[in-house]
Amino acid sequence: AVEAAHAKLIGPVEKWRSHIGLTDTRGEATPCARKASPLVRLHGGGAGAHMTERCDKDKTYAGVATSVGPLSGWVRLSTSQQLDELCLYLLIWGEAANLRFMPELLHTIFELARTHEAANQAASGAFLRLVVQPVYQTIVKACTAKARTGHSYDTENYDDWNEAFWRRQRGLSDLCTADGIGIFAQPPPDRWAFLLRADWERFLLTKTRKTHREMRWWSCLLAANRRVFLLHIVTFVGAAAWTMPSIEAPSWDLGGWAVSTVVTVFWLLAPTCALLGRSFERWARNTVQSRARLIGAYAQMVVIGALAAYVLWLQSDISVDEFRAQSLGDSRWNQLVLVSSTLAMAGVLALYFELAHPTPPERDALDARPFYEKRLADIWDLRTRWFSIRRASGWPILALTPEVRDMLALNLFWLTVWGCKIAAARMILLPILLESHSQLVDAFPMPSDNEVESANSLWLARIQPRMLIRAALQLVVWGTGAAIYVADTLGWYQLVLSLWGGVVGISRYGVAPTRPRHFFGSVCFAEFKRRAYAKLLPSLAASEEEMAILQAGLQPKSQTLSRTSTRVNIAWTKIWHTLIDELYGQCLLSAAERDALRTETPITLQSTEAIRRLRFFS
């Protein structure tokens, strides 16, 4: 238990030491030095078992070693050493107050206290007075100053200051005393004394900066889940382009290029989503990587936007009938085909990289396995086998590995969900939306030539009240349709999941027969009692004669064994009632079944699991 608690609490400290690279020659040992030389364990001046001198004058201070860490192969701490480290860490944690929101700061304090050699006992309250209070007062001062002058999303918080303790360069190396002495430049035994004189204001207010902006608004939700929304928009627009040719008497013509115009706009969706997402990332965290990604998104948007604009310009200059009448040698025909093909290829690549290439999780992340990208990358790894040999009826059969089958089933399931969703939108939702759009156009026609001449401008004629009403109604229609399309994803998921689970269950286990009912009568009660008297209750007997009677499964009823009989009956009642109450608490028995069993009344039980557990108890 001590080893497990030590690994759980001190394990993050071990990872922190490895991350910041505490392997300098001023007392910190490299793995080779730890393996080749005696280890020195220093815990606040402890002597004897916690300190070992080397033959020469130097000392090698060991890093933190847990039972599950990288040093577990050649370092094993005793129980007393683990208890010392646990107590030291918990004492620091207990006195840290709100500084517990900065775990790497606690790791730093623990590291300096662990390697400290105390010549004299420190004054009472020194840790609170010289470490905790100065750090917290500096944090309060910084928050107060920022709240008066800056925006809320630019105010430093615990996680921003905690980043300074997660880096060696431009972090812990800048932690100095008031007279400029670097704390981590000192030998490990002397660092604690310098920490008590640390200049926290200089370190936290001037040497650290906010790592990312924080804001609670819908933009954060949209940016974090933009791939999901992009997938909905792409399928919605694609289904709309698929549905448009089936609408009778449409209100759009565009020279016959109506569907092609929608497809051209379709290729702009992925670059627009990428540009908006990278812009938010650049705003939230201004780093070299975020700026580079934003520049790449701008370049992608410019290229694809220019191609789309050129395609739309060519389509406005030539109708579909003229395009079909022209041959391969015509310049406009060649330009339209070439630019449209280039636009399609660029749009497909942009869509692929935006949907299929997010930031992958780290391989040692606790939740890396559920990530779709992680599992897919593992399958495409060349070292992963796709097939395995199984033997059925003595013959070898080539079958897919369980990992590949799971991924195929996962992809097939989601393809079914989205296929049903798109098919329903194609057959029901989008025809209604497109027909409503056409009816609004017919009800509120475009301004006539006389109205344009009287307004002296086409744009002024288009902002007439009826045109504004039509635009508002069209916005309501399409907004409602888009909301329905996004919201029904959960419904289709639940529907397909229920059908999928039923089909898989029937294919694996077949159709289950009608659930049997189990009669629990007097014979069952008698068997239970006999076994209980024979196995559980002989220890209550006062003599060997009584024990023999109980082991024979006979309930003592004679006058000489009346006291034993009473004790046995009380013990049996307690055992039986405890078992029945436990089954009732787990919803395996109804209230009527519980009452009948408690009074040993014959009854028919409905739960197979309850019968199984009663038999197991018997």
Side-chain angles (χ1 to χ4, degrees):
V2 173
E3 187 174 278
H6 182 267
K8 183 176 181 179
L9 290 180
I10 311 299
V13 183
E14 188 176 23
K15 293 182 179 179
W16 168 80
R17 294 186 84 260
S18 175
H19 177 78
I20 65 174
L22 283 178
T23 54
D24 57 353
T25 58
R26 299 177 182 270
E28 297 296 337
T30 61
C32 296
R34 292 190 186 97
K35 191 172 182 180
S37 60
L39 298 175
V40 177
R41 310 292 304 182
L42 296 172
H43 303 273
H50 300 112
M51 185 168 64
T52 304
E53 296 288 345
R54 292 178 60 187
C55 297
D56 53 10
K57 297 181 180 180
D58 298 328
K59 296 177 182 179
T60 301
Y61 291 87
V64 176
T66 63
S67 59
V68 295
L71 298 180
S72 59
W74 58 76
V75 176
R76 179 68 61 179
L77 300 185
S78 64
T79 303
S80 62
Q81 290 174 324
Q82 292 177 348
L83 285 174
D84 284 348
E85 291 191 349
L86 282 173
C87 292
L88 177 61
Y89 185 83
L90 290 176
L91 286 172
I92 294 173
W93 183 87
E95 298 291 341
N98 279 16
L99 301 185
R100 297 169 190 166
F101 294 112
M102 304 168 64
E104 274 68 36
L105 169 61
L106 299 186
H107 299 344
T108 303
I109 296 174
F110 172 79
E111 172 65 21
L112 302 188
R114 186 183 66 89
T115 58
H116 175 51
E117 294 182 4
N120 299 312
Q121 184 176 1
S124 177
F127 175 65
L128 281 175
R129 187 177 67 257
L130 301 177
V131 177
V132 176
Q133 289 182 2
V135 175
Y136 187 71
Q137 290 172 357
T138 304
I139 290 175
V140 172
K141 180 179 179 181
C143 291
T144 304
K146 279 288 186 179
R148 294 175 180 174
T149 59
H151 298 285
S152 59
Y153 49 73
D154 285 326
T155 303
E156 282 86 355
N157 213 325
Y158 286 104
D159 52 351
D160 302 303
W161 288 304
N162 191 58
E163 285 284 338
F165 300 94
W166 188 245
R167 301 187 302 267
R168 185 69 180 268
Q169 301 297 328
R170 294 181 299 175
L172 291 175
S173 59
D174 296 327
L175 182 58
C176 304
T177 60
D179 48 359
I181 300 177
I183 294 177
F184 276 83
Q186 308 304 315
D190 302 332
R191 292 173 180 173
W192 178 262
F194 286 93
L195 180 68
L196 301 180
R197 299 187 286 118
D199 188 355
W200 293 107
E201 289 194 10
R202 175 178 177 271
F203 178 67
L204 294 177
L205 300 184
T206 62
K207 295 297 183 179
T208 60
R209 61 182 179 86
K210 190 168 183 63
T211 55
H212 60 278
R213 289 177 169 178
E214 301 174 69
M215 183 177 62
R216 295 180 180 178
W217 201 66
W218 287 101
S219 58
C220 303
L221 176 65
L222 296 175
N225 301 278
R226 64 178 184 270
R227 287 201 306 156
V228 177
F229 293 107
L230 175 62
L231 184 60
H232 281 82
I233 296 172
V234 165
T235 53
F236 185 76
V237 175
W242 181 21
T243 311
M244 288 174 65
S246 63
I247 302 300
E248 297 180 359
S251 60
W252 53 84
D253 182 31
L254 301 179
W257 297 106
V259 177
S260 179
T261 301
V262 175
V263 173
T264 302
V265 175
F266 174 86
W267 299 124
L268 294 173
L269 295 176
T272 303
C273 179
L275 180 60
L276 294 176
R278 303 298 188 273
S279 300
F280 183 85
E281 292 175 1
R282 164 66 174 77
W283 175 87
R285 188 170 187 178
N286 186 12
T287 61
V288 176
Q289 293 80 4
S290 63
R291 289 194 295 270
R293 287 194 292 266
L294 179 58
I295 293 173
Y298 269 119
Q300 175 182 264
M301 186 66 193
V302 169
V303 172
I304 297 181
L307 291 174
Y310 192 62
V311 169
L312 294 176
W313 178 78
L314 289 175
Q315 290 176 354
S316 64
D317 190 47
I318 182 176
S319 65
V320 173
D321 296 334
E322 294 176 351
F323 176 78
R324 292 173 178 173
Q326 293 175 357
S327 60
L328 181 62
D330 188 80
S331 60
R332 291 188 302 176
W333 192 94
N334 294 336
Q335 291 179 10
L336 185 56
V337 171
L338 179 61
V339 177
S340 299
S341 303
T342 306
L343 174 62
M345 291 187 291
V348 168
L349 289 177
L351 188 62
Y352 171 76
F353 285 109
E354 185 64 16
L355 285 177
H357 278 258
T359 303
E362 298 180 0
R363 290 192 173 271
D364 58 347
L366 296 178
D367 55 352
R369 181 60 184 169
F371 276 78
Y372 175 82
E373 292 80 10
K374 169 68 167 54
R375 298 177 65 183
L376 192 62
D378 290 343
I379 288 181
W380 286 110
D381 192 346
L382 296 179
R383 295 171 295 179
T384 303
R385 294 189 306 170
W386 281 37
F387 299 96
S388 60
I389 305 273
R390 293 191 309 173
R391 291 190 174 273
S393 302
W395 294 91
I397 298 177
L398 190 64
L400 294 172
T401 60
E403 294 80 7
V404 176
R405 288 202 306 269
D406 291 343
M407 282 302 299
L408 290 177
L410 178 63
N411 284 278
L412 181 59
F413 170 79
W414 282 110
L415 284 176
T416 305
V417 172
W418 281 94
C420 295
K421 178 184 176 68
I422 295 173
R426 166 66 177 82
M427 293 184 294
I428 301 174
L429 179 62
L430 286 169
I432 296 175
L433 295 178
L434 291 171
E435 290 177 359
S436 301
H437 181 91
S438 297
Q439 292 174 3
L440 287 174
V441 172
D442 296 337
F444 300 92
M446 293 290 292
S448 62
D449 296 337
N450 295 330
E451 292 175 337
V452 173
E453 292 178 0
S454 61
N456 296 324
S457 174
L458 178 61
W459 296 106
L460 291 177
R462 287 185 175 180
I463 60 175
Q464 293 180 2
R466 76 167 187 270
M467 301 305 298
L468 297 179
I469 293 175
R470 188 182 82 172
L473 292 177
Q474 288 175 339
L475 182 62
V476 170
V477 168
W478 286 103
T480 304
I484 294 174
Y485 184 78
V486 173
D488 71 351
T489 304
L490 178 60
W492 284 112
Y493 167 78
Q494 293 174 335
L495 178 61
V496 175
L497 181 63
S498 60
L499 297 176
W500 184 282
V503 171
V504 172
I506 292 175
S507 63
R508 289 185 179 181
Y509 307 107
V511 180
T514 305
R515 184 174 63 179
R517 298 183 178 184
H518 305 274
F519 180 73
F520 204 84
S522 57
V523 177
C524 298
F525 286 115
E527 181 66 16
F528 268 60
K529 273 191 175 183
R530 187 189 69 78
R531 296 193 179 188
Y533 280 102
K535 294 183 179 181
L536 300 178
L537 305 178
S539 60
L540 299 176
S543 63
E544 294 183 358
E545 180 184 1
E546 296 178 4
M547 184 177 297
I549 293 175
L550 293 176
Q551 289 177 346
L554 302 177
Q555 183 177 359
K557 296 182 179 179
S558 64
Q559 296 293 332
T560 57
L561 302 179
S562 59
R563 292 184 179 179
T564 302
S565 177
T566 302
R567 293 197 305 270
V568 167
N569 285 331
I570 293 174
W572 159 252
T573 302
K574 288 183 178 179
I575 293 174
W576 180 247
H577 287 186
T578 300
L579 175 63
I580 298 305
D581 291 341
E582 181 181 355
L583 295 178
Y584 176 74
Q586 297 179 4
C587 300
L588 297 177
L589 297 176
S590 64
E593 292 172 343
R594 179 198 61 178
D595 296 338
L597 291 176
R598 285 172 66 95
T599 57
E600 300 184 12
T601 303
I603 190 174
T604 299
L605 300 182
Q606 303 293 330
S607 174
T608 305
E609 179 64 17
I611 290 294
R612 188 191 68 80
R613 295 193 184 188
L614 287 172
R615 289 174 178 171
F616 177 79
F617 172 76
S618 175

